[in-house]
Amino acid sequence: MTGGTEVRRAVPGDASAMARVHVASWRSTYRGLVPDVVLDDPDFVARRTDFWTAALTDERFAANRVAVAEHAGDVVGVAMSGPVTDRGPGTVQLYVLYLLDGHHGSGAGSALLDAVLDSGSDAVLWVADPNPRAQAFYRKHGFAFDGTEQVDGGVRERRMTRSGRSAA
């Protein structure tokens, strides 16, 4: 528990709340990076609900770790990690970590990260660029850019890696 926020394993009943957090975070973070037509799509929340339902119930995602942060009974953050799917470094990949704006700096993001990544494991993630707040957060948690970049959906992303042996 951090500042009145509790982090726990996500369950299928959380999918719609997780989708709302996911979409709200995208809209506040990626406006100007992701086309408005994507962010303002009226079906965006429904599609994210389907995604989270699958992530929490489909056997394809059984090896993933999914957590939520709750504050005053409301889901305010989500995180998901799982096996690395590309040939990049690391044994586990952070796929998702989103926190509603009012909860940045509360410790909930760190608690979510700890819930889905073991400090003893090497890890990799992709972060949108520019996204200075997220990049600073990941650097604080031992991640560093490895020089690899890609463009996904028109958004430039940079890969960050962390060696579990040197993580704090």
Side-chain angles (χ1 to χ4, degrees), residues 72-164:
D74 293 324
V75 173
V76 298
V78 299
M80 181 173 70
S81 68
V84 174
T85 57
D86 63 16
R87 294 183 183 184
T91 57
V92 66
Q93 182 165 340
L94 179 66
Y95 288 103
V96 173
L97 198 158
Y98 296 116
L99 194 61
L100 293 178
D101 283 343
H103 298 275
H104 290 276
S106 70
S110 296
L112 278 167
L113 186 69
D114 291 343
V116 298
L117 290 182
D118 294 329
S119 62
S121 298
D122 294 350
V124 63
L125 62 87
W126 289 93
V127 62
D129 192 50
N131 190 346
R133 182 177 57 207
Q135 292 170 2
F137 172 83
Y138 294 128
R139 280 193 303 272
K140 175 182 165 189
H141 290 279
F143 287 87
F145 294 110
D146 72 358
T148 305
E149 298 180 4
Q150 67 181 13
V151 175
D152 184 15
V155 177
R156 180 175 165 230
E157 296 177 327
R158 298 174 69 192
R159 189 168 65 192
M160 298 181 83
T161 61
R162 179 183 79 184
S163 171

Side-chain angles (χ1 to χ4, degrees), residues 5-80:
T5 301
E6 179 183 341
V7 173
R8 63 171 173 78
R9 173 182 232 146
V11 296
D14 294 322
S16 63
M18 294 170 74
R20 286 190 298 275
V21 168
H22 193 153
V23 170
S25 295
W26 268 51
R27 287 176 174 160
S28 67
T29 302
Y30 299 133
R31 184 79 59 189
L33 293 176
V34 173
D36 287 349
V37 68
V38 172
L39 298 175
D40 298 332
D41 182 341
D43 293 326
F44 196 11
V45 173
R47 285 196 321 278
R48 290 291 89 191
T49 299
D50 291 346
F51 167 81
W52 285 114
T53 298
L56 294 168
T57 61
D58 192 308
E59 279 300 311
R60 294 175 298 159
F61 301 102
N64 289 10
R65 290 167 68 177
V66 185
V68 295
E70 282 186 321
H71 184 82
D74 293 324
V75 173
V76 298
V78 299
M80 181 173 70

